[in-house]
Amino acid sequence: PMGEALAAELDAVLGGGGWDVGTSFEGPPPPTDPLRLGRNVCYVVLAVLFDEEDRVLLVQEAKPQCRGLWYLPAGRMEPGESIAAAMRREVKEETGLECEALTLLALEERGPAWIRFVFLARPTGGTLKTLEEADAESLQATWWAGDPRALPLRAPDILPLLDLAARYRRSPPHPPTLPQDLPCALLCLRLLVAFANDAGDLWVLLATSGTPHLPVVACSTSPAESRRGLSLPVLRLLRDCLPPAPRPGPLGLLGLQHHAGGPGGADGVCFNVLLSIPASSPRAVPLELRNPAFCWWHVEEESLRGRILQRIRTTVPICS
């Protein structure tokens, strides 16, 4: 039977909450260098806001390299900030408006070297910045009703994000997901690895050291790996414990946890992610594990099985 601790961990993770990371990690030893924004990690925030007339909030850039071009409110996170507070600050500095986060729309990443948190937010006050108030943060802001492609854009990468935001507002594909205030010393991923067949059977990969738990792997911030993507430690772990098998599906974000000024001032984040391993036949069972530090747990409780199967289809997309 499933232990109470595992039940509570799964309930928190599936609901978009957080869970204590602890100090033990699966896979290779975690890095010993502390995480520091601007040194070995870079976090960026970006916000999509609409007004009551469905106009999108855009900013005219003031930076010399893109002066006069238009973009969504965005910028780098500063040490000591929470992720949501960094988003609110950037929106205030660049547009003059106050806002609150509604959900993460996407996580964009190139490994620890660059991670961007894309929010859907709503305005709560303030006054729209005009050209008379131009400063080093932006020239002005506007509510734009037309096709953003009609403007000279700083980069077209915001166009799919606007589509994502519009789809979420019409029919949310995942529950509201916001960062949880829990400390993490490293950049790491808590893994919900699911194997489901067409007959409705479901297994979840567990780490067996101590109390059974969802595996947690740490990302290396070495120069050689800092741009290789968050999936690298996940694939390493799967290669270590599974025989040659079909490549798992893409990572999906269930939630994340971060505490401003974490342990030792570290800027760690734990991403709670889900990935599924495809079954080779309708009644297939998962391949036998070759590492005794892990086991497959057959999920028999109907409501929990339903929650996990639903979340396989309803996660925040991770764009690598």
Side-chain angles (χ1 to χ4, degrees):
M2 179 174 58
E4 290 184 7
L6 178 59
E9 182 183 12
L10 279 166
D11 185 64
V13 170
L14 289 169
W19 192 255
D20 181 39
V21 175
T23 56
S24 61
F25 297 84
E26 281 66 50
T32 55
D33 292 337
L35 288 179
R36 291 290 184 270
L37 283 170
R39 191 169 74 185
N40 51 11
V41 290
C42 177
Y43 303 150
V44 178
V45 291
L46 179 146
V48 184
L49 290 89
F50 295 92
D51 68 2
E52 295 176 351
E53 300 173 30
D54 288 337
R55 298 178 299 180
V56 66
L57 182 62
L58 294 177
V59 171
Q60 192 172 36
E61 297 281 6
K63 302 179 187 70
Q65 64 270 30
C66 53
R67 188 177 179 84
L69 303 181
W70 293 86
Y71 206 63
L72 291 168
R76 294 191 179 191
M77 206 167 125
E78 297 176 355
E81 277 188 314
S82 73
I83 300 170
M87 184 276 295
R88 294 192 299 268
R89 174 184 55 77
E90 287 291 345
V91 171
K92 177 67 173 176
E93 289 176 352
E94 296 190 351
T95 74
L97 299 183
E98 308 280 352
C99 73
E100 70 172 353
L102 298 175
T103 186
L104 277 164
L105 284 173
L107 182 73
E108 300 178 309
E109 59 96 6
R110 302 170 196 159
W114 188 87
I115 298 173
R116 185 159 75 174
F117 304 91
V118 179
F119 285 90
L120 178 66
R122 72 176 187 91
T124 58
T127 305
L128 202 63
K129 181 186 276 189
T130 64
L131 273 173
E132 288 73 27
E133 299 165 303
D135 55 21
E137 300 296 335
S138 66
L139 298 180
Q140 62 176 324
T142 189
W143 290 109
W144 182 256
D147 187 337
R149 289 172 293 188
L151 292 170
L153 296 178
R154 170 181 147 188
D157 63 338
I158 63 172
L159 296 174
L161 301 179
L162 291 173
D163 290 340
L164 199 62
R167 290 200 302 272
Y168 188 94
R169 296 175 78 220
R170 287 195 302 269
S171 178
H174 56 79
T177 305
L178 292 171
Q180 302 298 302
D181 187 16
L182 278 172
C184 182
L186 302 171
L187 192 65
C188 59
L189 296 93
R190 177 182 285 109
L191 308 177
L192 179 49
V193 180
F195 181 98
N197 61 27
D198 292 343
D201 296 310
L202 174 70
W203 291 262
V204 168
L205 184 70
L206 298 180
T208 56
S209 60
T211 304
H213 60 275
L214 297 179
V216 178
V217 294
C219 299
S220 172
T221 54
S222 69
E225 295 190 2
S226 66
R227 295 182 179 274
R228 294 189 62 187
L230 296 180
S231 63
L232 181 62
V234 180
L235 296 174
R236 279 181 178 152
L237 180 138
L238 293 179
R239 283 198 299 266
D240 179 55
C241 65
L242 283 172
R247 186 177 178 87
L251 295 179
L253 184 69
L254 294 167
L256 69 155
Q257 44 198 83
H258 167 266
H259 179 75
D267 299 300
V269 180
C270 179
F271 300 100
N272 297 326
V273 300
L274 185 149
L275 69 157
S276 58
I277 296 178
S280 57
S281 64
R283 292 192 174 274
V285 298
L287 294 168
E288 185 176 347
L289 299 170
R290 58 189 180 193
N291 187 331
F294 301 92
C295 71
W296 285 112
W297 172 55
H298 189 206
V299 183
E300 297 180 327
E301 205 274 308
E302 187 174 345
S303 64
L304 178 60
R305 185 172 70 246
R307 286 181 72 192
I308 295 173
L309 292 173
Q310 180 188 37
R311 289 299 262 149
I312 289 175
R313 303 185 297 270
T314 58
T315 58
V316 176
I318 297 177
C319 309
S320 303

